[in-house]
Amino acid sequence: MVGWDKWRDRVQRALDGLRGDGLPPVVEVVGEPGVGKTLLLARLAEAAGRRGQKVLYARATEHSQVDAQEDGWALRPLVDALGDHLPEPDERAEPRRLAREIGSALRKLAEPPGLVLVLDDLHLADPATVEFLVRLRERPVPWLMLVVAYRPAQAPAMLSSALYDNGYRTVRLELGPLTPQEADELLAPVRARPAQRGRWYEASAGPAQRGRWYEASASPAQRGRWYEASGGIPRYLLILAGLEPPEAGTRELAGLSAADLRMAWAAAVVGDPFEAGLATVVADIAMPDALAAIDALAARDLIRPAGPGSRFRFRVPALRRIIYDASGPGWRLAGHARAAVALRSRGAPAAEQAWHLWQVAQTGDEDAAAVLGAAAAQAMPDEPAVAAFWLGAAIRLLPGSSPRHPALRYELARSLALAGFLNASRTVAHELLGGVPQEPALRARVAALCAMVERLLGNHAQAHALLRDTWASLPAWDAPETAPVALELAAGSLMRSDFKANTRWARQASRRGERPIQATAFVFLAMAAFAEGETEEAAKCLDHASEIVDGSPDTWLAKHLDCTLWIGWSEVYLGQFDRAVRHLERGIAVAGQRQRHLRPLLLTCLTMALRWVGRLPEARRSADAAIAAADLTASLELGTIAHATSSWIASWTGDVARSLADANTATQRARGSESWFRGVAAAMAARARLAAGQPEGCAEEIVAAFGGPGLPWADPWSRVSWWEVLVRAELAVDRPEEAMHWARQAEADTRGLAFPGGLAKLAEAQVHAATGRHGTAATLAGQAAELLTTAGCRLDAGRAHLLAATSLAATGASGRPAARKRVGKALILFVECGADQLATVARKERRRLIALRDPEPVEVRNGTAPSGLTRREQEVARLVAEGLTNQAISRRLGVVPKTVEAHMSNIFAKLGVPSRAALATKLAREESGVQPGNQRTPPPDEATTRPPEPS
């Protein structure tokens, strides 16, 4: 029994209370059906048996009350429990006489060490049994313990009054649903089931679950769905997992009349929640009988009101599935048919009709196919997987020669792509393109969709060939239907770094397409203009595209998520990071968990933007989400991108092992790929080794990955960042001349923007610092810090400040005051960005600079420094900022620890700081000249994920 440990002690204490003092203890075990009451009673009985106590057990049934009313068979549970201990009664219709015999038998049997009378399902007991328990309260039996289990919602009021009384020592064990951890423990036997990918899941649980794609395995996601449907009730959880037969859940239906049972079946057919009027039509019974059945089902706690009106819901979703399966297949078909007719006559939405039509419609029923198609259209924006299911059902209803087939198959391919089933979408699209020729507009849409899917799968050559052939077959180049093809040709050209072709195709699309196509086309024009060095033109095109997107509602955006992706990507490359985060987060929110095809790229691009603005904890979470989203699509290309980006983030958070592992996964998935992401994966693997302290060969691998010394295969937006990585790689193997060559390449490739300009100056400063030209290095690093701060790149600005600090310190004592300010600024930026490894480096450098500090005159008035601290207090405060403990400070200053503690109390009071970490931060800000009001307050999730300052 899962969860027995939390009840064991209470059961043992209850059994300890079984004595002969005339105050019989009572143990109540209460809870909903299937929660484990009977199993807990069995455990309690075992514990009593091990103590040598006698145990009598009986269970009330659905027939107990009926037998008592019709046959005069009273006290049935007690008679069953005592069995041969009772004399053969002559007249069972005399409950009082029978009660006296039962009382006598209990007094004879109840002797040390005790008698435990267990009565299960007592909510079903007849009134005479409950009355006997009341009388037993008045004349308690020594050495007798009463253990009862019942459902509170169905228990008669008299039962509660019988159990709760001053004459009883009552122990109430109230069983509730399992926790997710306990449910996982219960499902241990099915965890190793192999996944069955690519099957349709059509649970009979109703509209909320219709048409969902699933993995019929014990994966965490599937176990989570079982847990949700079961409400955490063990019996239902085991049934859903296949560990118990469905019949195990039908015991709750025992004793229902024929009308009650038909109403339960009808409600299961209608849905959860269900409307009583529609369920009455499906049950095909008279209204009075239907209302009586509703009362009976509610009394059994099978159904509960679902708000005002005539809507009801099942106690847990799994109960509806169990009842649905309990009805015969023929009855279910008839019920769905009646539901379909009733809903159509009411003019119900297509989504409500579709569930029932799918069950009963026959091939050739074009009206039913039309309803299924309409249901798919309603589901497409939010649940494309559901839309794909309805479209597949509609297609199967139509004959192969139907003129509606091509349009429905295109929508099927599109819905599968949106749901992230890229290979399935590709198959449907290719079948459609290879079939009967379609009208030009439809063929153009199919070709554009197929090319997008091929591109997301990494099949760029196939996508280009398909688009080229489609373009040649279109009747007129200036027709509106050519715009989607032109837009995909522009996207493919961009991925091949063919910017002239990208510009040409983007202009074609912008002249003929609708507003979403125009917005995306302007983004492509912006990216091409930036690649050609026309920064102002790029910004102008991007502003125009952003204006279109920002002025459009989310419903529009849900149909054109690619526009959001390209805008965010472009803004990252042009250094407009805050705008990029805003657009990408909006796109991700609109996509939700339903539209999976672009979700990996949206998350990857957001990860990049968050890294450049120095929000590393958020970037880490975004990178993890991108990997999970890519895995759902089964696309090696998207997996390559996600893992490569994750490796990049891990190198900045200091997780070297994760960086190497993700880089290795990215290169493995990129094998055989024809896209430039293969080069990115190889370069990221070299970069991960550089971050891990293995610089040998890294520069050569990066150059080879991007096609040679000029890095022609690297995109022009991130090329400068790779030049800077090459500088670090060359310096790590002591090749300063080669490093200077890469630094000059970076300087020539900045396009006049602050972000790449700052990286270029940082690259050159590193070379000068490595070759001993510290003054020049400090100047360049300072300039880099200013440019990167202007661009919003706080993490890289911190790197520049740190390099400037070490370079200034190397110039001698005159440079140390400025160096201390620089390192203070760097430390603050690293802490705010969540760059723990770099923050550790900055702290060490700050301690080193403090140790090298020359004596400085301190203006003292009445023995107090300008800050309000005495000289000794200032000295103690600086040692605290270095990270020394009170014991270490006492040894350094040659005083006892209590003196240090007294100084600390004075320092906290004078400076108004609550902790050692706050004191260190305050001193760092004062030394760096940075005021608290000028700093970005980290969001709560950042603040809680950063480690505290060492004390």
Side-chain angles (χ1 to χ4, degrees):
M1 178 181 180
V2 173
W4 163 245
D5 291 342
K6 63 185 177 184
W7 303 113
R8 180 187 289 110
D9 291 342
R10 296 190 64 188
V11 167
Q12 295 292 349
R13 287 196 299 270
L15 292 173
D16 290 340
L18 180 51
R19 301 187 296 270
D21 56 4
L23 295 176
V26 173
V27 177
E28 286 184 291
V29 180
V30 297
E32 293 185 1
V35 80
K37 299 186 297 296
T38 300
L39 192 55
L40 182 58
L41 292 180
R43 286 297 183 93
L44 186 148
E46 291 174 5
R50 286 193 295 269
R51 291 167 169 258
Q53 296 164 336
K54 298 177 184 178
V55 179
L56 299 179
Y57 174 85
R59 182 179 207 163
T61 68
E62 289 79 4
H63 302 289
S64 298
Q65 298 177 11
V66 175
D67 289 344
Q69 292 175 2
E70 296 181 357
D71 303 329
W73 187 286
L75 300 153
R76 180 64 178 267
L78 293 167
V79 172
D80 291 342
L82 290 168
D84 296 336
H85 299 288
L86 287 175
E88 185 68 25
D90 297 331
E91 295 178 335
R92 294 186 181 277
E94 297 180 3
R96 292 185 179 181
R97 176 181 176 184
L98 188 56
R100 287 194 299 271
E101 294 176 352
I102 292 173
S104 298
L106 289 176
R107 292 181 182 278
K108 292 178 182 179
L109 292 171
E111 59 186 18
L115 172 65
V116 178
L117 177 60
V118 180
L119 300 176
D120 198 0
D121 286 341
L122 201 58
H123 56 279
L124 297 174
D126 59 281
T129 299
V130 177
E131 184 178 355
F132 175 84
L133 297 177
V134 175
R135 294 182 179 276
L136 189 63
R137 176 190 61 187
E138 299 171 353
R139 298 183 62 189
V141 177
W143 296 105
L144 173 66
M145 170 181 280
L146 183 63
V147 180
V148 298
Y150 62 90
R151 304 172 189 172
Q154 298 174 246
M158 188 177 179
L159 179 62
S160 299
S161 64
L163 298 176
Y164 280 101
D165 187 83
N166 294 332
Y168 282 77
R169 295 192 300 273
T170 302
V171 177
R172 185 179 178 91
L173 306 181
E174 190 166 354
L175 276 64
L178 299 178
T179 66
Q181 294 75 20
E182 291 171 338
D184 206 45
E185 181 183 348
L186 184 67
L187 296 177
V190 300
R191 288 184 198 163
R193 284 182 182 173
Q196 301 175 19
R197 304 180 74 92
R199 291 178 52 188
W200 289 108
Y201 174 53
E202 188 44 72
S204 57
Q209 295 185 8
R210 59 178 177 263
R212 297 263 176 97
W213 192 276
Y214 88 127
E215 294 178 0
S217 69
S219 67
Q222 179 60 45
R223 294 199 299 273
R225 287 190 286 269
W226 287 336
Y227 179 79
E228 182 180 0
S230 69
I233 304 300
R235 180 191 298 165
Y236 303 142
L237 193 59
L238 293 171
I239 292 173
L240 294 176
L243 296 175
E244 283 193 9
E247 294 77 15
T250 61
R251 286 181 295 189
E252 294 186 59
L253 305 180
L256 289 176
S257 68
D260 297 344
L261 198 57
R262 286 175 67 89
M263 194 65 184
W265 293 345
V269 165
V270 171
D272 192 10
F274 65 91
E275 194 262 317
L278 181 59
T280 301
V281 173
V282 173
D284 196 21
I285 58 179
M287 180 58 72
D289 293 336
L291 296 177
I294 290 288
D295 287 340
L297 298 178
R300 289 286 190 97
D301 200 26
L302 295 172
I303 63 174
R304 295 172 178 175
S310 60
R311 292 176 64 82
F312 295 85
R313 61 179 177 86
F314 289 87
R315 188 176 66 247
V316 292
L319 183 58
R320 183 239 173 168
R321 176 174 173 177
I322 291 169
I323 295 174
Y324 183 93
D325 292 339
S327 63
W331 195 96
R332 286 198 298 269
L333 287 175
H336 282 297
R338 288 191 289 269
V341 172
L343 289 171
R344 179 172 295 186
S345 65
R346 296 180 179 185
E352 294 184 22
Q353 299 182 47
W355 168 245
H356 303 286
L357 285 174
W358 174 72
Q359 305 280 347
V360 298
Q362 302 295 317
T363 302
D365 189 342
E366 297 202 5
D367 291 339
V371 173
L372 293 173
Q378 294 174 13
M380 185 75 78
D382 298 323
E383 294 187 301
V386 174
F389 180 80
W390 295 137
L391 288 164
I395 291 170
R396 287 191 293 271
L397 288 179
L398 296 174
S401 58
S402 173
R404 299 177 57 194
H405 259 284
L408 288 175
R409 287 189 176 275
Y410 164 71
E411 292 297 331
L412 175 60
R414 188 166 77 93
S415 61
L416 288 170
L418 293 177
F421 306 118
L422 300 179
N423 286 299
S425 173
R426 178 179 181 270
T427 299
V428 175
H430 276 289
E431 290 175 352
L432 186 56
L433 289 171
V436 178
Q438 295 89 36
E439 59 178 351
L442 178 59
R443 183 170 184 81
R445 291 198 301 271
V446 175
L449 172 67
C450 189
M452 179 197 71
V453 172
E454 296 280 20
R455 175 164 51 80
L456 293 176
L457 289 171
N459 304 324
H460 299 278
Q462 294 93 317
H464 181 67
L466 171 63
L467 291 169
R468 184 188 57 210
D469 294 343
T470 302
W471 186 264
S473 68
L474 293 176
W477 286 11
D478 59 348
E481 57 263 25
T482 64
V485 178
L487 196 66
E488 269 303 315
L489 282 166
S493 301
L494 187 66
M495 303 303 290
R496 299 192 309 275
S497 297
D498 187 350
F499 301 110
K500 291 184 178 179
N502 171 262
T503 302
R504 183 173 70 254
W505 292 118
R507 285 175 179 165
Q508 291 268 13
S510 66
R511 295 191 189 108
R512 299 169 184 81
E514 300 174 349
R515 281 175 60 84
I517 291 180
Q518 290 178 0
T520 308
F522 277 109
V523 174
F524 289 154
L525 291 173
M527 299 178 85
F530 178 79
E532 298 297 328
E534 300 174 4
T535 306
E536 292 185 3
E537 179 64 21
K540 187 185 301 182
C541 291
L542 196 56
D543 287 343
H544 187 61
S546 180
E547 182 181 352
I548 295 176
V549 171
D550 291 343
S552 302
D554 286 352
T555 52
W556 176 92
L557 198 62
K559 300 177 183 178
H560 309 287
L561 277 177
D562 53 339
C563 183
T564 305
L565 170 66
W566 290 116
I567 283 182
W569 209 309
S570 301
E571 288 168 338
V572 168
Y573 285 141
L574 267 69
Q576 301 176 5
F577 302 116
D578 291 335
R579 283 176 56 175
V581 170
R582 176 169 58 83
H583 282 134
L584 292 166
E585 286 182 339
R586 184 186 177 197
I588 292 168
V590 171
Q593 296 294 335
R594 304 300 185 191
Q595 296 197 34
R596 296 176 176 174
H597 68 309
L598 293 180
R599 186 174 172 81
L601 291 177
L602 286 164
L603 287 164
T604 298
C605 194
L606 177 62
T607 302
M608 295 166 57
L610 292 171
R611 153 59 186 92
W612 287 123
V613 296
R615 293 159 62 178
L616 290 182
E618 294 174 73
R620 177 70 271 162
R621 292 191 290 272
S622 180
D624 290 340
I627 291 175
D631 289 343
L632 291 175
T633 67
S635 168
L636 294 178
E637 175 98 335
L638 297 178
T640 297
I641 301 168
H643 280 282
T645 307
S646 177
S647 171
W648 181 50
I649 296 301
S651 69
W652 289 112
T653 59
D655 192 345
V656 174
R658 174 71 182 272
S659 180
L660 290 169
D662 278 330
N664 182 57
T665 302
T667 53
Q668 288 180 349
R669 296 195 177 192
R671 289 176 182 171
S673 172
E674 60 191 46
S675 77
W676 66 274
F677 286 116
R678 179 180 181 181
V680 172
M684 281 295 182
R687 190 189 179 288
R689 289 199 299 107
L690 175 62
Q694 306 167 19
E696 293 77 11
C698 291
E700 291 80 2
E701 291 180 21
I702 292 173
V703 170
F706 288 128
L711 308 188
W713 296 348
D715 62 89
W717 308 278
S718 59
R719 191 178 289 135
V720 172
S721 66
W722 285 109
W723 297 129
E724 193 266 338
V725 174
L726 284 171
V727 167
R728 284 188 276 135
E730 299 287 14
L731 292 177
V733 293
D734 196 21
R735 294 202 295 250
E737 293 183 1
E738 288 83 349
M740 182 57 77
H741 168 72
W742 300 127
R744 288 170 180 162
Q745 291 279 79
E747 183 64 31
D749 204 14
T750 62
R751 291 170 169 78
L753 295 177
F755 163 52
L759 283 182
K761 288 191 179 295
L762 179 59
E764 187 178 355
Q766 292 176 77
V767 180
H768 285 294
T771 54
R773 296 187 288 274
H774 299 296
T776 304
T779 301
L780 288 171
Q783 294 172 356
E786 292 179 7
L787 288 170
L788 292 167
T789 300
T790 301
C793 301
R794 299 181 304 133
L795 177 59
D796 299 285
R799 293 171 57 210
H801 281 303
L802 181 59
L803 179 59
T806 57
S807 299
L808 286 166
T811 62
S814 61
R816 290 174 194 163
R820 286 190 291 273
K821 291 184 179 181
R822 289 283 187 182
V823 78
K825 291 180 179 180
L827 177 57
I828 290 171
L829 288 171
F830 292 151
V831 170
E832 289 184 346
C833 292
D836 300 332
Q837 191 176 42
L838 288 172
T840 300
V841 174
R843 289 190 183 98
K844 291 181 179 178
E845 180 62 17
R846 186 179 65 174
R847 287 195 290 268
R848 187 184 73 85
L849 290 174
I850 292 175
L852 293 174
R853 178 188 288 271
D854 296 329
E856 297 178 3
V858 179
E859 180 184 358
V860 179
R861 297 176 182 175
N862 299 324
T864 305
S867 62
L869 302 181
T870 65
R871 287 182 177 178
R872 178 62 85 180
E873 288 168 351
Q874 283 190 324
E875 196 171 6
V876 171
R878 291 195 183 101
L879 293 175
V880 170
E882 289 186 50
L884 272 65
T885 64
N886 285 2
Q887 291 285 348
I889 295 173
S890 68
R891 289 193 298 269
R892 176 77 66 87
L893 300 180
V895 297
V896 296
K898 287 187 177 181
T899 301
V900 177
E901 292 175 5
H903 286 313
M904 290 297 300
S905 298
N906 292 336
I907 292 169
F908 287 165
K910 290 179 179 180
L911 298 184
V913 293
S915 65
R916 304 169 73 92
L919 171 61
T921 301
K922 183 176 181 66
L923 292 180
R925 293 186 187 279
E926 289 180 353
E927 290 182 0
S928 62
V930 178
Q931 297 303 316
N934 297 332
Q935 298 300 312
R936 181 183 72 89
T937 301
D941 56 346
E942 287 189 37
T944 55
T945 55
R946 294 197 194 109
E949 295 269 344
S951 60

